Amino acid sequence: MFLIQNTEHCSVWQGAMNGREKDRKHRGTPRSHAARRVRSDAQRNLDVLLQAAKEVFAVSGVDAPVRKIAEKAGFGVGTIYRHFPQRSDLVAAVFRHELDACADAAPALAARYSPGEALARWMQRYADLVATKRGLAAALHSGDPSFDALPGYFELRLRPAFRGLFQAAADAGEIRADVDPDELLTAVAGLCVSAHNDRPDYSRRMLSLLVDGLRAVPKRSHPAP
C-alpha cells in the first residue's frame, strides 16, 4: 500500500514537474524569439551604421564629421556615440567589418569560379578594400591603442583566406608556383597606396597587369648550344 501510494505520489509529482517544464519552455519560447529578433535588428542597424561610415570615409577620409555618417545611416549622432564613444572605435570597427567581408568572400568565390579566377577576383576586392580606406594608414600609426589589435586581426582573417585561394590556383596550375603569396599580397596593397591612389582606374589596370603576370607560365631556360 505504501509502495502504491508512493508510486502514485511520484507519478503526480512527475506530472507536475513535466507540466512546469512544459510551461517554462512555453513561456521561454516567445522571449527567446524576441531576444533573437532584437539581436538581429541591432545587428542590422550596426551593419547600416558601419556601411555608412565606410562610404563617408571613402569620400571624406576617416576624419569626416560624425554628423555626415549619422545622416547617411539615418540615425541620430547619439546612436553612433553610444556604440562608439571614440572616433577611433568607429574607424577600427569599420576596418574589422571590411576585413571580415573580404575574408568571407574567399570561400564564396572559390565555390563559384575556377581557382585562378577566384584568386583574381579576390585580389581585386582586396585592392578595393585598401584603396577606399583614405587616411587609415596614418590612423593606424597614430599610436591610438584602439588600433593595436588590427594588424593581428588582419593576420587572423585576411592572410589565411588569401593563402587558401593562392594555393588552390597554384595546385590547379592556373598561376605560377614560383611566387611568394605574402609578397604578392604586399604588392597588391602597394599598388593601392601609390601616388596615383586618387585614380581607381589606375589601381585596377595595374592589378590586371599583375594578375596577367601571375598567370603567365615562366619560360624554361635552355642550355647554350
Side-chain angles (χ1 to χ4, degrees), residues 19 62 74 80-81 102 106 150 168 193 220:
V62 296
I80 296 181
Y81 283 119
C102 192
L150 291 182
V193 294
R220 294 181 179 179

Side-chain angles (χ1 to χ4, degrees), residues 85-130:
Q86 303 294 328
R87 176 181 294 272
S88 56
D89 297 329
L90 177 59
V91 174
V94 169
F95 192 56
R96 283 194 301 270
H97 190 261
E98 291 302 292
L99 286 179
D100 285 337
C102 192
D104 292 341
L109 291 170
R112 184 173 181 182
Y113 300 100
S114 66
E117 184 63 20
L119 176 65
R121 287 175 177 268
W122 190 91
M123 288 170 62
Q124 185 61 67
R125 176 155 189 162
Y126 171 67
D128 292 341
L129 166 67
V130 176

Side-chain angles (χ1 to χ4, degrees), residues 27-37 39:
R27 292 197 309 269
T29 299
R31 288 200 299 270
S32 178
H33 288 322
R36 285 197 296 268
R37 185 168 59 250
R39 287 195 298 270

Side-chain angles (χ1 to χ4, degrees), residues 58-59 124 127-134 188 191-208:
V59 175
Q124 185 61 67
D128 292 341
L129 166 67
V130 176
T132 56
K133 297 299 172 288
R134 294 179 56 187
V188 175
L191 287 175
C192 304
V193 294
S194 68
H196 304 276
N197 61 4
D198 57 339
R199 293 169 47 196
D201 61 312
Y202 171 84
S203 296
R204 287 180 176 275
R205 285 189 289 107
M206 292 302 102
L207 182 58
S208 294

Side-chain angles (χ1 to χ4, degrees), residues 24-86:
R24 184 161 54 246
K25 289 181 179 179
H26 177 72
R27 292 197 309 269
T29 299
R31 288 200 299 270
S32 178
H33 288 322
R36 285 197 296 268
R37 185 168 59 250
V38 169
R39 287 195 298 270
S40 178
D41 291 344
Q43 185 60 52
R44 278 196 298 269
N45 291 340
L46 184 59
D47 290 341
V48 169
L49 195 160
L50 293 176
Q51 179 65 26
K54 168 195 168 183
E55 294 174 7
V56 171
F57 288 165
V59 175
S60 305
V62 296
D63 293 324
V66 174
R67 173 180 48 80
K68 279 189 175 182
I69 300 172
E71 290 175 354
K72 191 169 191 65
F75 299 136
V77 173
T79 300
I80 296 181
Y81 283 119
R82 186 163 60 251
H83 286 284
F84 307 104
Q86 303 294 328

Side-chain angles (χ1 to χ4, degrees), residues 124-177:
Q124 185 61 67
R125 176 155 189 162
Y126 171 67
D128 292 341
L129 166 67
V130 176
T132 56
K133 297 299 172 288
R134 294 179 56 187
L136 183 60
L140 291 178
H141 294 87
S142 65
D144 192 305
S146 298
F147 304 129
D148 289 349
L150 291 182
Y153 198 73
F154 174 91
E155 295 293 330
L156 178 68
R157 295 288 283 128
L158 228 58
R159 201 175 293 279
F162 172 70
R163 285 174 177 165
L165 291 173
F166 181 92
Q167 192 61 52
D171 291 343
E174 297 186 21
I175 62 170
R176 314 170 50 126

